[in-house]
Amino acid sequence: MNKEEFLSELRTKLSGLPQEDIEERISFYSEMIDDRMEDGISEEEAVEGIGTVDQIYEQIMSDMPLVKLVKEKVKPKRKLKAWEIVLLTLGSPVWIPLVIAAIAIVFSVYVVIWSVVVSVYAVNLSFAAEAVAGLTGIFICLKTGNVPGAVFSLGAGFICAGLAIVMFFVCVAITKGVIKLTGKMLTGMKTAFVGKE
């Protein structure tokens, strides 16, 4: 793919964004390709080296503030006529609660996803607390002369300590996965909101 084909495809993909952002991105990637070509790389290699149009589009959408997208989409392209204003006003008891409900659903899904992460960290913390309790239980059992209880406390403490260590890595993996998931969700919402002109 040459530079013109790449930029044309990128412009088409970005068509739902504000015009000044499209021009800024096209100019940025055009300059990036030119810089690579000045370094002695062929035009096709320079285009291939910056990634696919889909990858670039996803990166642009993840970097674009949602507020800016909403402002651009909500801003009327022309002045509203009187009958449109009346219709919007009369329909507001229907569409305002629907918008609020949609926002509440998205927010609640986000909260539920992150509450799972918090719950996993709480389980990990409980294993760590049990490990400390088990290991301190050894001294209490030995002080009272309960040797089998001390051995049990030692074993339980080590098992819980091992589980706490393993759960820590599970927590980190789940957190990274949820961060990726919520990022993809936000990018998907932005993409759905922008749509195509």
Side-chain angles (χ1 to χ4, degrees):
M1 178 183 301
N2 66 25
K3 176 182 169 183
E4 289 304 315
E5 292 170 341
F6 174 80
L7 294 177
S8 173
E9 192 176 325
L10 183 60
R11 183 180 296 279
T12 303
K13 193 84 169 171
L14 298 175
S15 65
L17 295 178
Q19 191 60 37
E20 64 271 5
D21 285 327
I22 294 173
E23 295 306 323
E24 180 183 321
R25 304 295 187 208
I26 295 297
S27 172
F28 173 77
Y29 285 104
S30 174
E31 189 175 318
M32 182 184 289
I33 293 169
D34 290 342
D35 288 346
R36 288 172 168 262
M37 288 170 45
E38 287 174 5
D39 292 340
I41 298 175
S42 72
E43 185 175 354
E44 286 76 20
E45 290 174 336
V47 169
E48 187 179 310
I50 61 174
T52 66
V53 171
D54 290 334
Q55 291 170 335
I56 292 170
Y57 176 74
E58 190 171 319
Q59 180 63 40
I60 290 170
M61 290 305 292
S62 66
D63 293 342
M64 184 74 58
L66 185 59
V67 173
K68 187 173 188 176
L69 295 174
V70 170
K71 216 181 270 186
E72 180 66 23
K73 276 297 187 182
V74 173
K75 182 173 60 174
K77 304 287 187 230
R78 58 178 172 71
K79 190 172 181 175
L80 294 175
K81 297 177 182 164
W83 68 270
E84 291 172 324
I85 294 171
V86 170
L87 192 59
L88 281 172
T89 305
L90 291 176
S92 66
V94 174
W95 64 264
I96 289 177
L98 289 175
V99 169
I100 292 171
I103 292 169
I105 289 170
V106 169
F107 180 72
S108 64
V109 167
Y110 188 79
V111 167
V112 166
I113 289 172
W114 279 102
S115 67
V116 169
V117 174
V118 171
S119 299
V120 172
Y121 275 102
V123 169
N124 186 33
L125 187 60
S126 69
F127 280 139
E130 288 294 325
V132 170
L135 294 176
T136 56
I138 296 169
F139 300 112
I140 296 169
C141 290
L142 287 177
K143 190 172 184 178
T144 60
N146 185 358
V147 176
V151 172
F152 176 78
S153 290
L154 178 67
F158 279 136
I159 289 172
C160 287
L163 287 172
I165 293 169
V166 170
M167 278 297 290
F168 174 76
F169 294 110
V170 170
C171 289
V172 169
I174 288 174
T175 303
K176 286 180 181 177
V178 167
I179 288 171
K180 262 187 177 175
L181 175 68
T182 54
K184 292 273 186 192
M185 285 173 50
L186 185 59
T187 302
M189 286 188 304
K190 289 177 183 177
T191 302
F193 187 77
V194 167
K196 296 288 180 234
E197 293 294 315

